[in-house]
Short mmCIF file of all heavy atoms in Angstrom, two decimals:
data_model
loop_
_atom_site.label_atom_id
_atom_site.label_comp_id
_atom_site.label_asym_id
_atom_site.label_seq_id
_atom_site.Cartn_x
_atom_site.Cartn_y
_atom_site.Cartn_z
N ALA A 49 -28.32 -36.10 26.25
CA ALA A 49 -29.13 -36.04 25.04
C ALA A 49 -29.09 -37.34 24.26
O ALA A 49 -30.11 -37.80 23.73
CB ALA A 49 -28.67 -34.88 24.15
N GLU A 99 -6.74 -27.16 7.17
CA GLU A 99 -7.78 -26.12 7.27
C GLU A 99 -7.96 -25.60 8.69
O GLU A 99 -8.36 -24.45 8.89
CB GLU A 99 -9.11 -26.66 6.75
CG GLU A 99 -9.20 -26.78 5.25
CD GLU A 99 -8.50 -28.01 4.69
OE1 GLU A 99 -7.98 -28.83 5.49
OE2 GLU A 99 -8.49 -28.17 3.46
N TYR A 100 -7.65 -26.42 9.69
CA TYR A 100 -7.78 -25.97 11.08
C TYR A 100 -6.77 -24.86 11.40
O TYR A 100 -6.97 -24.10 12.36
CB TYR A 100 -7.61 -27.13 12.05
CG TYR A 100 -8.87 -27.98 12.20
CD1 TYR A 100 -8.92 -29.27 11.70
CD2 TYR A 100 -9.99 -27.48 12.85
CE1 TYR A 100 -10.07 -30.05 11.83
CE2 TYR A 100 -11.14 -28.25 12.99
CZ TYR A 100 -11.17 -29.54 12.48
OH TYR A 100 -12.30 -30.30 12.60
N TYR A 142 -16.93 -26.56 20.17
CA TYR A 142 -17.24 -26.00 21.49
C TYR A 142 -16.52 -24.65 21.63
O TYR A 142 -15.40 -24.48 21.15
CB TYR A 142 -16.77 -26.93 22.60
CG TYR A 142 -17.64 -28.15 22.82
CD1 TYR A 142 -17.08 -29.34 23.29
CD2 TYR A 142 -19.01 -28.12 22.59
CE1 TYR A 142 -17.87 -30.47 23.52
CE2 TYR A 142 -19.80 -29.24 22.81
CZ TYR A 142 -19.22 -30.42 23.27
OH TYR A 142 -20.00 -31.53 23.50
N GLY A 192 2.30 -26.11 32.09
CA GLY A 192 2.49 -26.45 33.50
C GLY A 192 3.63 -25.70 34.16
O GLY A 192 3.70 -25.62 35.40
N TYR A 195 3.22 -20.77 35.56
CA TYR A 195 3.03 -20.03 36.82
C TYR A 195 4.39 -19.65 37.40
O TYR A 195 4.65 -18.48 37.71
CB TYR A 195 2.24 -20.87 37.82
CG TYR A 195 1.85 -20.11 39.08
CD1 TYR A 195 0.57 -19.58 39.22
CD2 TYR A 195 2.76 -19.92 40.12
CE1 TYR A 195 0.21 -18.88 40.37
CE2 TYR A 195 2.41 -19.22 41.26
CZ TYR A 195 1.13 -18.70 41.38
OH TYR A 195 0.78 -18.00 42.52
N LYS A 242 -13.60 -45.41 13.23
CA LYS A 242 -13.71 -46.85 13.48
C LYS A 242 -14.95 -47.15 14.32
O LYS A 242 -15.57 -48.21 14.18
CB LYS A 242 -12.44 -47.38 14.15
CG LYS A 242 -11.24 -47.44 13.21
CD LYS A 242 -10.05 -48.10 13.86
CE LYS A 242 -8.86 -48.12 12.92
NZ LYS A 242 -9.08 -48.92 11.71
#
Side-chain angles (χ1 to χ4, degrees):
E99 285 79 3
Y100 280 110
Y142 284 149
Y195 187 100
K242 288 186 181 296

